[in-house]
């Protein structure tokens, strides 16, 4: 008895992040999904031989069933990807050149899922920084004395994560999610820093000695893979994290007001 074909998870470097033209955006989650399917159907060659399904990024939780994958049978090819409605984007499995060209002719941007490095500080053994130099250089105490401490502001941070147990965050509100290179999200919301840079940046932004200690921190761990000892993030991963930050939360139309991303090329 022949086993049924199985979904094959797409290699990280074969994935494509597709940003659709602005004119494909429509209101309402159901309408957005339908609009994105229509925009993708013709370039992907959907029909008798090719079909595809899109999973909302909200439901793209890493589990046994791959979210970005393909299934090939004698009769047809099935594609599965993640759609990010707030960004007007989709994370798709490996596409052939004809499909990529068709998407670009339609005005879409097709981005390779190649790793981006984090921007890490340069260590200078001869440099001894002044205590709280950042506060003095921007005259932060004067702003704080006027009550400008970030009340009601939600700061999104794309970095290596955050150490929620650090004493600088004992009075902070922190939301946390980690994201995988293929664009799915980890359902575990326990704070973790995969390096230490994210904790440092979060402390500067909204820690007890930071610029806006009263702000809420919304942290996405995207720098959570290492290549040659260096933390990296992938475009699909970053896009999924931004999508999460743009989702409604706490009675607001989006989760954050501003985003800091410590990402290079």
């Amino acid at each position: 008895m022949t086993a049924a074909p199985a979904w094959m998870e797409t290699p990280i470097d074969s994935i494509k992040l597709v940003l659709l033209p602005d004119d494909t955006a429509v209101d309402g989650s159901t309408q957005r999904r339908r609009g994105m399917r229509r925009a993708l159907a013709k370039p992907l060659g959907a029909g008798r031989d090719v079909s595809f399904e899109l999973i909302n990024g909200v439901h793209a939780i890493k589990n046994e069933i791959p979210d970005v994958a393909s299934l090939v049978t004698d009769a047809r090819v099935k594609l599965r990807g993640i759609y990010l409605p707030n960004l007007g984007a989709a994370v798709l499995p490996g596409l052939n050149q004809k499909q990529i060209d068709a998407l670009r002719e339609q005005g879409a941007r097709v981005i390779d899922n190649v790793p981006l490095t984090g921007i890490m500080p340069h260590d200078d053994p001869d440099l001894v920084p002044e205590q709280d130099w950042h506060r003095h250089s921007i005259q932060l105490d004067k702003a704080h004395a006027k009550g400008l401490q970030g009340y009601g502001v939600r700061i999104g941070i794309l970095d290596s994560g955050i150490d929620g147990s650090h004493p600088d965050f004992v009075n902070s509100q922190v939301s946390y999610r980690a994201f995988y290179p293929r664009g799915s999200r980890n359902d575990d919301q326990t704070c973790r820093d995969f390096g230490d840079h994210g904790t440092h940046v979060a402390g500067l932004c909204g820690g007890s000695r930071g610029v806006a200690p009263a702000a809420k921190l919304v942290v996405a761990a995207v720098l959570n893979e290492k290549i040659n000892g260096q933390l990296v993030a992938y475009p699909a991963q970053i896009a999924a994290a931004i999508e999460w930050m743009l989702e409604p939360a706490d009675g607001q139309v989006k989760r954050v007001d501003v985003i800091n991303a410590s990402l290079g090329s």
Side-chain angles (χ1 to χ4, degrees), residues 116-130:
L116 303 173
T117 58
I119 299 176
M120 299 298 148
H122 173 67
D123 291 329
D124 187 341
D126 298 324
L127 180 64
V128 181
E130 173 194 354

Side-chain angles (χ1 to χ4, degrees), residues 140-151 210-214:
L140 188 59
D141 290 340
K142 291 182 179 180
H144 283 184
K146 295 179 180 179
L148 302 175
Q149 300 188 34
Y151 293 103
V211 173

Side-chain angles (χ1 to χ4, degrees), residues 130-209:
E130 173 194 354
Q131 179 71 17
D132 287 343
W133 66 269
H134 63 293
R135 297 174 61 91
H136 304 322
S137 65
I138 61 174
Q139 300 182 24
L140 188 59
D141 290 340
K142 291 182 179 180
H144 283 184
K146 295 179 180 179
L148 302 175
Q149 300 188 34
Y151 293 103
V153 177
R154 298 157 303 157
I155 303 173
I157 299 174
L158 272 68
D159 213 294
S160 60
I162 184 172
D163 177 1
S165 65
H166 193 286
D168 272 12
F169 307 116
V170 66
N171 294 315
S172 299
Q173 277 188 289
V174 180
S175 291
Y176 171 88
R177 277 294 179 95
F179 293 81
Y180 294 100
R182 292 178 177 84
S184 59
R185 60 182 71 175
N186 191 328
D187 205 27
D188 184 359
Q189 300 179 41
T190 305
C191 292
R192 175 186 174 186
D193 197 336
F194 290 81
D196 53 23
H197 191 265
T199 299
H200 177 77
V201 170
L204 288 174
C205 291
S208 59
R209 302 293 294 170

